[in-house]
């Protein structure tokens, strides 16, 4: 969030509250900030209860950052493709994504996407409602 008046993960407390009934949910960061700031530094911007849920990131410096070409290729990949590759590697039984780049997700991923506006994020009531809906479906 490079805009004045905004900060990285500014709506994290909304996510924290929504996840409270689901202690088994873990988080994989799929943000470009991991590439820019690094995994540990990006994770440090999260509240501690979310930070302890983080198990990794879709971007890995040793895998995707070995050369400038690989970093650029990763940065230019659609978010949905980045997530699909991570899903293939981790093989979770259930998953969902929260993102504002909704046009970068593949058709089969839309069902598990909590889309939000880049400016309002999870502060929008519609995003919060969608998040609760997806969490319930993930835990059926």
């Amino acid at each position: 969030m490079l805009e004045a008046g905004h900060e990285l993960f500014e709506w994290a407390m909304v996510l924290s509250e929504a996840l409270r009934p689901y202690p088994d949910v873990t988080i994989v960061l799929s943000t470009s900030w991991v590439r820019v700031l690094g995994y540990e530094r990006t994770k440090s911007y999260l509240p501690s209860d979310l930070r302890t849920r983080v198990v990794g990131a879709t971007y890995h410096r040793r895998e995707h950052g070995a050369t400038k070409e690989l970093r650029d290729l990763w940065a230019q990949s659609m978010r949905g493709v980045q997530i699909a590759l991570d899903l293939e590697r981790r093989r979770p039984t259930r998953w969902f994504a929260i993102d504002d780049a909704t046009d970068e997700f593949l058709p089969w991923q839309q069902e598990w996407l909590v889309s939000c506006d880049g400016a309002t994020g999870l502060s929008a009531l519609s995003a919060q409602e969608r998040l609760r809906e997806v969490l319930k479906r993930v835990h059926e």
Side-chain angles (χ1 to χ4, degrees):
M1 300 298 304
L2 301 175
E3 296 179 32
H6 292 282
E7 60 186 65
L8 190 58
F9 302 130
E10 65 186 318
W11 307 112
M13 294 311 292
V14 174
L15 178 60
S16 186
E17 184 63 32
L19 291 180
R20 189 161 290 141
Y22 306 100
D24 60 325
V25 172
T26 57
I27 297 171
V28 174
L29 299 172
S30 63
T31 172
S32 57
W33 288 108
V34 171
R35 189 174 48 81
V36 174
L37 299 175
Y39 172 72
E40 290 298 331
R41 186 166 173 212
T42 301
K43 192 168 95 166
S44 75
Y45 282 89
L46 291 167
S48 62
D49 63 316
L50 291 182
R51 203 169 34 244
T52 60
R53 292 175 180 263
V54 175
V55 296
T58 57
Y59 176 84
H60 296 275
R61 184 167 286 153
R62 70 177 176 272
E63 188 174 329
H64 307 109
T67 66
K68 182 181 181 332
E69 292 77 21
L70 281 175
R71 283 189 301 276
D72 291 346
L73 180 62
W74 182 256
Q76 294 166 8
S77 296
M78 292 184 354
R79 183 64 53 87
V81 170
Q82 294 170 357
I83 290 172
L85 291 170
D86 195 77
L87 291 171
E88 187 176 307
R89 188 171 52 78
R90 289 180 201 275
R91 301 224 180 262
T93 55
R94 296 170 290 206
W95 70 277
F96 69 96
I98 303 169
D99 210 299
D100 63 348
T102 57
D103 61 330
E104 293 186 18
F105 281 78
L106 304 168
W108 63 269
Q109 295 172 317
Q110 295 296 321
E111 177 181 6
W112 303 108
L113 175 62
V114 176
S115 62
C116 46
D117 180 87
T120 59
L122 285 176
S123 72
L125 294 179
S126 59
Q128 291 175 30
E129 185 178 308
R130 174 71 175 154
L131 176 59
R132 286 189 297 272
E133 171 194 315
V134 169
L135 277 167
K136 283 180 187 174
R137 279 193 300 127
V138 164
H139 279 84
E140 288 178 339

